[in-house]
Structure formats: C-alpha cells, structure tokens
Amino acid sequence: MGERMFLAFVAGIVMLFKWVALAIGPVLAMGIVALMISDFQDKIVPSVIISCLSLGLVMGIVLAEYVRRRFGIIKFDGKLYAHKEIDGLQSMTRKAGEY
C-alpha cells in the first residue's frame, strides 16, 4: 500500500514538472519579446515586461491544458522523444534495405 502511494506521488510530481515545462515555453518567448521591445526603446519599461510575461503565462497555461486534455502530457512527450528520425529507426531500416 505504501509503495503504491509513493509511486502515485512520484508520478504526480513528474506530471507537474512536465506540465510546467510546457507552460514555461511561451513565458520565455514573450520575455524575449519584452526584452526586444525594451531594447528598441533604449530603456527598461516594467509595464511592457509585466504585460508580455503575463500574456505569455496565459498562453502557456492554455497550451499546457490543451495538450493535457487532448493528448495527455506523457503521450505528448513520448511522441516528441520517440520520433522515428530521432530514435534512429529510419537509419536502421535503411541499413536493412527496407524503405
């Protein structure tokens, strides 16, 4: 019983980290946009940075929830990491003479 609870806890932590990793991408992208806007204006504008980061946070949450509900976070990561070109399956079939 204790082992199942521990595994459920670890699985929950992994899912949380993967969800946060999906949500943080748009936040970082909008942070870069905010820094570019500040660079063009030759001064740091906190309102622009905060608004860009908050927009990125909303976009990240929407993206992470869309992926979680539509595909599942683990399945989505599995499709990204186990692609046939990344996994080496394509090169193995070429060596065997199959196309």
Side-chain angles (χ1 to χ4, degrees):
M1 182 69 178
E3 183 180 341
R4 284 188 181 182
M5 288 177 47
F6 176 72
L7 288 177
F9 175 73
V10 170
I13 295 295
V14 169
M15 293 288 286
L16 177 68
F17 283 153
K18 288 189 176 288
W19 189 91
V20 168
L22 274 173
I24 202 100
V27 174
L28 292 176
M30 290 304 291
I32 291 171
V33 169
L35 289 176
M36 289 171 52
I37 290 171
S38 294
D39 188 41
F40 288 144
Q41 294 181 353
D42 289 332
K43 61 182 177 179
I44 294 177
V45 183
S47 62
V48 171
I49 294 173
I50 290 171
S51 62
C52 283
L53 288 177
S54 60
L55 179 65
L57 181 64
V58 170
M59 290 181 351
I61 290 171
V62 168
L63 172 71
E65 280 299 305
Y66 174 77
V67 167
R68 183 184 67 84
R69 291 180 184 197
R70 177 90 189 259
F71 306 108
I73 295 176
I74 299 297
K75 190 174 182 180
F76 180 76
D77 268 355
K79 285 185 179 183
L80 289 178
Y81 292 131
H83 194 271
K84 62 182 176 182
E85 292 176 358
I86 296 173
D87 211 16
L89 183 65
Q90 187 178 21
S91 63
M92 288 173 30
T93 57
R94 284 185 184 159
K95 288 179 184 176
E98 301 173 7
Y99 290 98

